[in-house]
Amino acid sequence: MTDKELRKLKRQDLLQMLVAQSKEAARLQAELDEKNEEMDQLMESYGRLKDRLNEKDELIEKLKNRLNEKDAAAEEENVQHAETVERFKEKLDEKDALIEKLKGRLNRKDEKIRKIEEELENIRSGRWKELEDNGFMAELMSKLKTMF
């Protein structure tokens, strides 16, 4: 509305317009207050959520540090276990080599024993024959018969 149109209006019309504008202003003010209250509630809720999120972040950081410590401890244990396994493998290889060496010595000793037993058997059989040839066996048998 222009100034001219506004000047042509009656006082009552102007008052009605003012009342209507006042009502509209009051309605808008109430709506603004309501929106401000909603915004305050949202900001309060946002603050609580932000605090909870910060707490969760702190908890996550603590858990991450504990996990890193556990990972480091597990890695150290793995290294120690690997070193232990390596030492055991080395000892096992040494024992295997010693076993092979002892097997070789045992085989040589067995061969020597077998040869000595063969020689002893040859000597016994040769000595036995010699005793039989000298008549010692016959004499021994006759003495045994007389004893029994």
Side-chain angles (χ1 to χ4, degrees), residues 139-148:
E139 186 181 320
L140 181 64
M141 290 301 275
S142 67
K143 286 185 180 181
L144 283 174
K145 283 181 186 177
T146 57
M147 288 173 78
F148 291 108

Side-chain angles (χ1 to χ4, degrees), residues 78-125:
N78 284 343
V79 168
Q80 289 175 354
H81 289 307
E83 289 172 356
T84 302
V85 166
E86 191 59 35
R87 282 194 307 270
F88 284 153
K89 283 181 181 178
E90 289 172 3
K91 284 183 180 180
L92 186 60
D93 289 343
E94 289 172 8
K95 298 290 182 184
D96 286 345
L98 182 59
I99 287 172
E100 287 303 316
K101 183 179 175 183
L102 291 174
K103 278 183 183 178
R105 283 181 58 197
L106 182 62
N107 288 340
R108 288 190 299 275
K109 296 290 181 179
D110 285 345
E111 185 62 29
K112 282 184 181 179
I113 289 171
R114 188 187 59 75
K115 286 180 181 178
I116 289 171
E117 285 176 345
E118 284 177 4
E119 286 179 24
L120 183 60
E121 187 60 36
N122 286 339
I123 290 172
R124 281 186 184 157
S125 65

Side-chain angles (χ1 to χ4, degrees), residues 48-63:
R48 285 192 308 271
L49 288 174
K50 187 176 178 182
D51 290 343
R52 285 178 58 198
L53 183 60
N54 287 337
E55 289 173 9
K56 298 289 182 182
D57 285 345
E58 288 175 15
L59 180 61
I60 287 171
E61 193 61 34
K62 286 178 186 176
L63 292 173

